[in-house]
Amino acid sequence: MRLSELLSASGLSGALVVTPPGAPDPEVRVVTRDSREAASDAVFVAVRGARVDGHTLAPGLDVAAVVVEREVVVRPGVVVIRVGDARAAL
């Protein structure tokens, strides 16, 4: 499924989506909050946990997109989807 299709189907209409200039609409096969499952075809959802805040992991991940609650720096080409509550978006 393309990221644009996933966003349309997810109901995240209030999300701020920041797409890098010239970036393609990536194919997405996985949506995860587990950084160990993050791959180039994944959407990583940065959730704050008791021990680790996923926002601190997002900058180092080679993923198609990240869902975050606050501003983060990501690798070039990664789409940033900013929402009010990442856990609810998952």
Side-chain angles (χ1 to χ4, degrees):
M1 175 179 279
R2 295 279 174 204
L3 179 59
S4 60
E5 296 168 335
L6 179 63
L7 287 172
S8 292
S10 70
L12 293 176
S13 58
L16 172 64
V17 180
V18 180
T19 304
D25 186 11
E27 183 74 24
V28 174
R29 297 187 195 287
V30 178
V31 176
T32 185
R33 65 180 184 176
D34 186 340
S35 64
R36 296 168 296 184
E37 295 176 0
S40 61
D41 60 352
V43 174
F44 176 71
V45 182
V47 174
R48 282 185 238 174
R51 296 183 191 167
V52 177
D53 181 350
H55 292 81
T56 63
L57 302 173
L61 298 177
D62 182 20
V63 293
V66 294
V67 176
V68 296
E69 296 174 354
R70 62 178 185 269
E71 189 172 327
V72 294
V73 176
V74 295
R75 290 178 173 218
V78 175
V79 176
V80 176
I81 304 161
R82 193 163 173 184
V83 297
D85 184 346
R87 193 176 305 276
L90 185 60

